[in-house]
């Protein structure tokens, strides 16, 4: 499995920035109030970051000690880490788009909205970084059998096993 690419995270953040800006623009054109995320959302993102790290830590510990771990447990940990990094990039971009729209208006934005969006961006960046670290924790060392070329001369072939005349 390949690691999550930083380029993919940047592209997702840029797309989400455009979506956040567009959402607030459409709401303003329709005469509605701009979107302000709840202050509980940054807290939720930080809890997801803690969960991703706490699920990946035992995988890291078992790899370092050489203890066999359930592969499904490791797969769940790395899947959560990858999904969390994607979510972190999307939410950071979305919050940035909302903030850019608010700051581009001729009227000064409310302090509460600005704080909520800055908290969203900050916690989303923390989530993305924590998820990338958790994904790193789930990396297995290279298998020595994979790095060495196999010597096929010593392996019994089909003819040596009694078949293939």
């Amino acid at each position: 499995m390949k690691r999550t690419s930083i380029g993919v995270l940047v592209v997702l953040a840029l797309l989400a920035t455009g979506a956040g800006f567009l959402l607030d623009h459409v709401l303003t054109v329709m005469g509605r109030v701009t979107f302000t995320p709840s202050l509980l959302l940054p807290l939720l993102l930080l809890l997801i970051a803690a969960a991703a790290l706490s699920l990946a830590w035992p995988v890291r510990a078992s790899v370092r000690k050489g203890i066999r771990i359930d592969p499904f447990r490791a797969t769940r940990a790395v899947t959560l880490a990858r999904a969390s990094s994607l979510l972190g990039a999307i939410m950071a971009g979305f919050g940035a788009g909302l903030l850019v729209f608010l700051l581009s208006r001729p009227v000064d934005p409310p302090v509460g909205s600005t704080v909520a969006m800055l908290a969203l961006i900050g916690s989303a960046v923390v989530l993305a970084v924590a998820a990338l670290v958790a994904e790193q924790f789930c990396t297995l060392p290279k298998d020595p059998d994979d790095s060495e070329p196999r010597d096929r001369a010593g392996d019994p072939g089909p003819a040596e096993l009694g078949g293939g005349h």
Side-chain angles (χ1 to χ4, degrees), residues 21-142:
F21 188 90
L22 184 65
L23 173 70
D24 262 357
H25 179 69
V26 168
L27 288 173
T28 303
V29 167
M30 293 173 55
R32 297 190 180 188
V33 181
T34 58
F35 180 76
T36 302
S38 169
L39 285 175
L40 292 177
L41 182 58
L43 182 64
L44 178 64
L45 295 178
L46 293 175
L47 287 174
I48 294 171
L53 286 172
S54 67
L55 283 177
W57 186 259
V59 175
R60 178 182 188 259
S62 67
V63 167
R64 285 190 161 199
K65 293 178 184 176
I67 300 171
R68 178 151 167 73
I69 190 166
D70 180 23
F72 291 112
R73 182 177 183 183
T75 302
R76 283 190 292 266
V78 77
T79 302
L80 176 64
R82 176 167 281 186
S84 297
S85 65
L86 298 175
L87 175 67
I90 291 169
M91 294 307 292
F94 186 73
L98 296 175
L99 185 63
V100 166
F101 181 81
L102 273 185
L103 295 178
S104 69
R105 306 299 298 164
V107 178
D108 289 334
V111 174
S113 296
T114 306
V115 169
M117 288 175 205
L118 288 173
L120 174 62
I121 294 167
S123 63
V125 169
V126 168
L127 173 61
V129 170
L132 290 174
V133 169
E135 191 175 341
Q136 174 68 30
F137 284 173
C138 296
T139 302
L140 297 177
K142 291 274 187 191

